[in-house]
């Protein structure tokens, strides 16, 4: 029974943790976009992912938001190489 309660509590607490994680990912993307030289197509794709992630965050879909923002960061990292 203790494990079930611990699981429920951790699930309830994970939402707020992810919620605060989204804005930090958006800031990280913005900071990297300001310093990296990308072609317009790549920049537009990354900005679209960033905007989509931010919109998901505002809708309360934090798991999806983090996934999309991580994808944007992965594309940024690949473009820098």
């Amino acid at each position: 029974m203790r494990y079930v309660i611990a699981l429920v509590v951790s699930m309830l607490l994970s939402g707020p943790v992810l919620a605060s994680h989204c804005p930090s990912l958006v800031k990280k993307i913005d900071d990297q976009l300001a310093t990296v030289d990308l072609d317009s197509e790549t920049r537009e794709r990354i900005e679209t992912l960033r905007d989509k992630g931010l919109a998901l965050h505002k809708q309360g879909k934090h798991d999806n938001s983090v996934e999309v923002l991580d994808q944007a960061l992965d594309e940024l990292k690949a473009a820098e190489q």
Side-chain angles (χ1 to χ4, degrees):
M1 186 65 167
R2 289 184 303 192
Y3 298 111
V4 173
I5 292 171
L7 177 64
V8 170
V9 169
S10 64
M11 288 174 60
L12 291 173
L13 294 177
S14 67
V17 169
L18 289 175
S20 65
H21 189 62
C22 303
S24 65
L25 289 175
V26 170
K27 181 174 178 358
K28 188 173 182 179
I29 291 167
D30 290 343
D31 291 346
Q32 288 184 15
L33 280 173
T35 61
V36 68
D37 185 31
L38 300 172
D39 62 86
S40 60
E41 183 180 314
T42 303
R43 180 174 294 277
E44 184 177 323
R45 189 171 59 246
I46 291 168
E47 288 175 347
T48 300
L49 286 170
R50 176 216 177 273
D51 294 343
K52 182 179 177 183
L54 188 57
L56 288 167
H57 166 73
K58 290 179 180 177
Q59 295 170 9
K61 299 176 181 178
H62 303 292
D63 290 334
N64 299 83
S65 175
V66 169
E67 185 177 314
V68 171
L69 294 170
D70 281 340
Q71 182 181 353
L73 284 169
D74 289 343
E75 289 199 27
L76 258 171
K77 185 177 179 180
E80 288 178 331
Q81 295 175 349

